[in-house]
Amino acid sequence: MPRRAILFDLDGTLMDHDAARESGLVAHLAQWLPEAEPEDLARLNGEWRRLEALHYDEYTAGLCSFTEQRRRRVQGLHASLGRTGPSEVEADAWFARYLQRYRSAWRPFDDVSPMLVALASSHGEAVLGVVTNGEGGPQRAKLAAIGLAESFSVVVASGEVGLAKPDPAIFALACERLGVKPEQAAHVGDRLDLDARAAASAGLLGVWLDRPGASNRESMMMTATPSTSMQEPGVSRIATLEELPGALGL
């Protein structure tokens, strides 16, 4: 069936969140821990990535607020260094300094622009949207900063609609806003669980963007199906966004 709508995840799919997170953290640690050795920075970067995966998923599951997940990440990093605290006020200030450096490193992946051009050429009538777990303001700011704000007709952010991936209802809502049926849509994302499988359960084509070298959140949060043998109804796998038109049969 022709896909009349194509939905995308944001972080790790359109924007290189991993690179921005690492760049922002290293720049922040250079000021916060100027005596840190390269091996210390590598360990702390890994711990920061783990804490983000843990606590951000708690936020999207409704177990804590957006601000609280930030505080838990800061408190966890301090604990990994054997430090007590910090207080909520101190944690907020620490995160604000990190956030400034993280934002300065926002970039789209290199394959985003060629993919958008290819989609416009092969399937220009399809409408594009974003389905993201996060607060609407920060997520829209990312799209604007990386030059993609005008590329998508709809942005559905979990913090605004009270639904979060992998709930099938958030994909149904996005389809409703774009005026298409779920079976007429596809969703592309870097999480097999939250994106591809969840979209497929909602009746969309789920496309797992399994980027080589990306931080493997699947292995941290779940047991992923090996990509070489994965064959699931309603789920396709690509290694780059430039493979997307082929996965959509365009």
Side-chain angles (χ1 to χ4, degrees), residues 6 19 22 58 75 96 110 122 153 182 185 197 215 217 223 237:
I6 306 169
E22 181 173 358
E58 290 175 344
Q75 291 163 348
D110 291 340
S122 63
S153 301
R197 285 176 174 160
S215 64
R217 284 173 295 185
T223 301
R237 172 187 170 271

Side-chain angles (χ1 to χ4, degrees), residues 120-165:
S121 174
S122 63
H123 209 51
E125 68 274 18
V127 289
L128 307 182
V130 169
V131 178
T132 176
N133 280 356
E135 298 297 299
Q139 297 303 80
R140 287 185 175 84
K142 290 176 184 177
L143 285 170
I146 63 177
L148 296 179
E150 303 302 317
S151 298
F152 300 95
S153 301
V154 163
V155 176
V156 178
S158 65
E160 293 178 336
V161 301
L163 301 165
K165 298 181 290 185

Side-chain angles (χ1 to χ4, degrees), residues 107-238:
R107 301 289 187 276
F109 283 100
D110 291 340
D111 56 3
V112 173
S113 181
M115 176 270 298
L116 292 174
V117 170
L119 286 181
S121 174
S122 63
H123 209 51
E125 68 274 18
V127 289
L128 307 182
V130 169
V131 178
T132 176
N133 280 356
E135 298 297 299
Q139 297 303 80
R140 287 185 175 84
K142 290 176 184 177
L143 285 170
I146 63 177
L148 296 179
E150 303 302 317
S151 298
F152 300 95
S153 301
V154 163
V155 176
V156 178
S158 65
E160 293 178 336
V161 301
L163 301 165
K165 298 181 290 185
D167 188 339
I170 196 170
F171 299 102
L173 177 61
C175 290
E176 179 182 339
R177 290 185 176 181
L178 289 172
V180 302
K181 298 177 180 178
E183 60 267 24
Q184 296 172 317
H187 175 76
V188 186
D190 67 314
R191 289 283 294 265
L192 177 58
D193 55 346
L194 295 187
D195 290 306
R197 285 176 174 160
S201 72
L204 294 77
L205 171 66
V207 182
W208 180 26
L209 178 58
D210 186 18
R211 292 184 183 277
S215 64
N216 192 347
R217 284 173 295 185
E218 304 297 329
S219 64
M220 289 190 290
M221 305 304 295
M222 60 175 288
T223 301
T225 303
S227 59
T228 55
S229 61
M230 189 195 74
Q231 293 185 353
E232 300 183 27
V235 174
S236 296
R237 172 187 170 271
I238 58 176

